[in-house]
Structure formats: C-alpha cells, structure tokens
Amino acid sequence: MSNEIVKKDWTEEAAIAPVAADVLTQEVNPFVSFKVESPADQIKLYNAMNSPQYRVADMINKPISMVDAVLVPCQLVREETGEVYDAIRAIIIDAEGNTFAATSTGIVSSLRNIYNVFHTLHFDEPLKVTVQQVTVKRGNTLTLKLG
C-alpha cells in the first residue's frame, strides 16, 4: 500500500462515478402544470418536487386554493412485505405558493379527473379543492371535492 498523494481531477465528469452519473441523469418526466421558463420557475418546481411543505393527509376537510400541480413518478415500499412498487407523488400548489404532497391513488385520480374536465391543472383563478377521506374496498383513501 502506497502513501502517495493522488491528485484528483475534480471536474464535474471526473468527480461523479459512472454509476452515480446514471442515477443523476435518469429522467423523471414529471407532469408540471405551469411553464418552467425562468430560474424562478425552476426553483418553484425543484422545491415542490424535493421538499413539499405539507401532507395532503393533514388537510382532510380543509380547502386548498389550487393554482398548479406536479405529478412525479416515485417508488414506495409496502410496509407489510418490503415490496418496492411504482407510484405517483402528487404535489398541489396553492395560491400562496404552499405545497401539499400525497402518494394517495385517490388524490392522483382526482387530479386526473380535474384535468379531464378542465383540460389543465393550472388555474389563474384558484380552484377551490377540499380534501376528503372516503371509505373504499380496502380501507380509506383521500380524494378532492371541488367547490
């Protein structure tokens, strides 16, 4: 074993191992309801995806003035089995810029239905949605009620 000091090339390409580079360049392909044209838009999207402020589950029976939404593919682990499965993280952005996240299939389905009715998830005039918990075949799920 040598005690030589090895000079590292800390350029971006050299600093990232090939495996890490693959992870960093994997495309996530989120659905984003607003145009990402400026650095401020990029920051808004990054913060919504990376660190949403609130859980939709904490908003049951409370209204949210939705102006935008982001849907991001993700992977979750089933607690009972340890199985990894694909899911969608839905992030709702309100008129004040607050972000609310959920991986509930009911919330994703509600957003899909809103999109199918309004042909958008971007609202210049905020759309009032109220989070509701409903009973389904295997327990409860969250959904969105309009108005």
Side-chain angles (χ1 to χ4, degrees):
M1 179 178 212
S2 170
N3 286 336
E4 289 180 274
I5 296 175
V6 178
K7 182 180 176 191
K8 297 255 184 197
D9 178 6
W10 287 106
T11 63
E12 186 174 341
E13 290 177 20
I16 301 172
V19 172
D22 286 344
V23 170
L24 289 175
T25 58
Q26 285 178 347
E27 289 194 36
V28 176
N29 296 323
F31 170 89
V32 181
S33 66
F34 56 93
K35 292 182 181 176
V36 182
E37 299 176 327
S38 69
D41 296 333
Q42 291 169 325
I43 290 169
K44 176 181 174 180
L45 176 59
Y46 173 82
N47 286 336
M49 289 173 43
N50 195 60
S51 54
Q53 298 164 293
Y54 304 102
R55 294 173 359 131
V56 170
D58 294 334
M59 298 298 292
I60 293 172
N61 297 322
K62 297 177 184 172
I64 299 173
S65 297
M66 183 173 88
V67 294
D68 282 304
V70 178
L71 301 170
V72 184
C74 66
Q75 290 189 324
L76 301 175
V77 178
R78 293 190 200 286
E79 290 182 23
E80 314 81 44
T81 64
E83 171 194 5
V84 176
Y85 65 99
D86 292 331
I88 297 174
R89 176 169 287 109
I91 301 129
I92 298 170
I93 303 171
D94 76 4
E96 287 77 41
N98 297 311
T99 52
F100 305 84
T103 53
S104 165
T105 55
I107 295 296
V108 172
S109 180
S110 291
L111 289 172
R112 184 179 300 122
N113 290 338
I114 291 169
Y115 182 84
N116 287 332
V117 169
F118 293 92
H119 305 291
T120 187
L121 290 177
H122 172 76
F123 299 94
D124 291 326
E125 182 68 31
L127 182 67
K128 181 182 169 191
V129 298
T130 301
V131 179
Q132 295 187 320
Q133 185 171 352
V134 296
T135 303
V136 292
K137 194 178 204 177
R138 291 181 282 168
N140 296 312
T141 192
L142 299 176
T143 188
L144 298 174
K145 180 181 177 183
L146 298 184

